[in-house]
Amino acid sequence: AEDLSEWERVGLPIDPGVVLLDIAFVPDDPSHGFLLGTRQTILETKDGGRTWFPRSIPSAEDEDFNYRFNSVSFSGKEGWIVGKPAILLHTKDAGDSWERIPLSAQLPGDMVYIQATGEQSAEMVTDEGAIYVTSNRGYNWKAAVQETVSATLNRTVSSGISGASYYTGTFNTVNRSPDGSYVAVSSRGNFFLTWEPGQLYWQPHNRAVARRIQNMGWRADGGLWLLVRGGGLFLSKGTGIVEDFEEASVQSRGFGILDVGYRSKDEAWAAGGSGVLLKTTNGGKTWVRDRAADNIPGNLYSVKFIGDNQGFVLGNDGVLLRYVG
């Protein structure tokens, strides 16, 4: 079955050097979606991601800045986009029109993630660990965490977190679970942090693996997956936030795996350097390669499943793969 690829490459009207960063669809209309990237890239699709066209948003076109659009999220017809340098866009008509919402210059860190959470409501995260929530279309934001991660670590650095004293102040990656918990990896990969709704501070955790962490995220069953630099994949024992992980069997040829996306409780895909694409059908215990992307010169950074039959892999050099099942 390894030869039967379940992915196809989608041609995009963008410069070759663009790195694709996020993708989201309007919940009421799964054929209508947006794709973000570096170099001010915003693309739109009306046919479920088979074809894409450039989307111009006048309020986001500033000659002095070259925006990197990091994250997009929809709830109903309401959508949000965040980018760097600090920019926040909001739509209430499923992306037909976007308005730019002013942001405070005091925001600690770069906005790396936004999640639409309901009517006029969203939650955003910066790479310094600030989490903000709004319930009035982004005009006011309330801090959900009392201090940045650097401050937390400075206060708790003697608490036995190995590598905390080397912390440079930013996250490498941050991933949110459906119930609103977060897991983040320190920029050097030497420990990880978690936050659950209601907590005042991020909680640092020692890594239970020898090699540095590349990325971490949530399985469909509520447990954690963990990728190490150099290609290993680990799964936490049980569900929730734990520090006990066991290694899964992966044939990754030594290329680093950069992301994992679950299509169902049992089926997930992993993607990484040099076009490596892997599939599991047993929840992550064992993985086999799909040769679909072997000839793609580039790295696959991110795996996103929007529903059972809608999935995408985002890469550098404008590479987009669409799940065809």
Side-chain angles (χ1 to χ4, degrees):
E2 276 194 38
D3 302 326
L4 298 175
S5 176
E6 297 176 55
W7 299 86
E8 67 175 20
R9 183 165 179 187
V10 180
L12 298 176
I14 51 177
D15 294 340
V18 169
V19 179
L20 299 176
L21 296 170
D22 199 15
I23 189 170
F25 285 77
V26 181
D28 314 342
D29 180 6
S31 61
H32 186 198
F34 289 84
L35 178 62
L36 309 182
T38 55
R39 303 194 191 170
Q40 307 210 147
T41 300
I42 301 181
L43 301 177
E44 186 173 8
T45 181
K46 296 282 181 73
D47 61 9
R50 289 175 182 82
T51 57
W52 296 83
F53 50 92
R55 176 59 198 266
S56 152
I57 298 176
S59 61
E61 287 164 10
D62 187 323
E63 282 154 25
D64 298 336
F65 292 119
N66 191 352
Y67 288 107
R68 171 193 178 99
F69 291 114
N70 283 322
S71 180
V72 53
S73 176
F74 280 91
S75 171
K77 287 191 176 347
E78 200 165 7
W80 306 80
I81 289 174
V82 293
K84 167 188 175 178
I87 183 170
L88 173 66
L89 302 171
H90 173 262
T91 177
K92 48 185 189 285
D93 53 18
D96 291 341
S97 62
W98 293 85
E99 63 171 333
R100 182 163 177 180
I101 296 187
L103 282 167
S104 158
Q106 313 303 306
L107 213 59
D110 293 319
M111 288 179 299
V112 289
Y113 182 82
I114 192 154
Q115 173 75 37
T117 53
E119 197 173 338
Q120 299 200 5
S121 303
E123 192 169 278
M124 73 176 171
V125 186
T126 76
D127 62 358
E128 289 187 15
I131 300 175
Y132 293 100
V133 292
T134 182
S135 51
N136 63 359
R137 287 196 9 236
Y139 286 97
N140 300 96
W141 294 89
K142 189 163 133 271
V145 179
Q146 296 217 335
E147 61 190 9
T148 62
V149 170
S150 296
T152 300
L153 291 173
N154 287 340
R155 215 167 25 80
T156 61
V157 78
S158 56
S159 65
I161 298 298
S162 133
S165 53
Y166 298 114
Y167 187 65
T168 58
T170 58
F171 292 157
N172 199 29
T173 64
V174 58
N175 280 303
R176 184 184 195 270
S177 75
D179 70 2
S181 300
Y182 286 92
V183 60
V185 176
S186 72
S187 46
R188 292 166 62 101
N190 42 11
F191 61 97
F192 71 97
L193 303 119
T194 57
W195 179 82
E196 295 175 90
Q199 289 181 336
L200 298 179
Y201 312 108
W202 285 86
Q203 313 293 314
H205 304 267
N206 279 314
R207 69 180 197 271
V209 294
R211 281 176 291 169
R212 295 204 176 177
I213 307 170
Q214 176 72 45
N215 193 3
M216 289 179 72
W218 304 90
R219 304 196 301 263
D221 67 3
L224 288 163
W225 52 260
L226 181 155
L227 302 171
V228 295
R229 298 183 185 178
L233 192 158
F234 294 77
L235 302 174
S236 67
K237 295 178 182 173
T239 58
I241 293 167
V242 295
E243 293 180 25
D244 199 6
F245 285 80
E246 50 196 352
E247 189 161 10
S249 158
V250 178
Q251 324 159 339
S252 69
R253 277 199 328 204
F255 290 121
I257 304 173
L258 302 174
D259 195 27
V260 175
Y262 275 76
R263 184 172 158 247
S264 64
K265 268 201 166 59
D266 297 321
E267 185 184 318
W269 290 82
S274 304
V276 67
L277 201 51
L278 303 154
K279 177 187 186 181
T280 178
T281 50
N282 55 17
K285 293 180 192 67
T286 57
W287 298 77
V288 291
R289 283 195 61 198
D290 178 334
R291 311 227 165 251
D294 276 11
N295 304 325
I296 292 177
N299 297 330
L300 304 174
Y301 287 121
S302 146
V303 183
K304 309 262 184 199
F305 278 96
I306 291 103
D308 290 353
N309 297 313
Q310 198 174 26
F312 295 88
V313 177
L314 284 57
N316 64 351
D317 279 339
V319 169
L320 178 69
L321 305 181
R322 185 175 76 90
Y323 180 75
V324 289

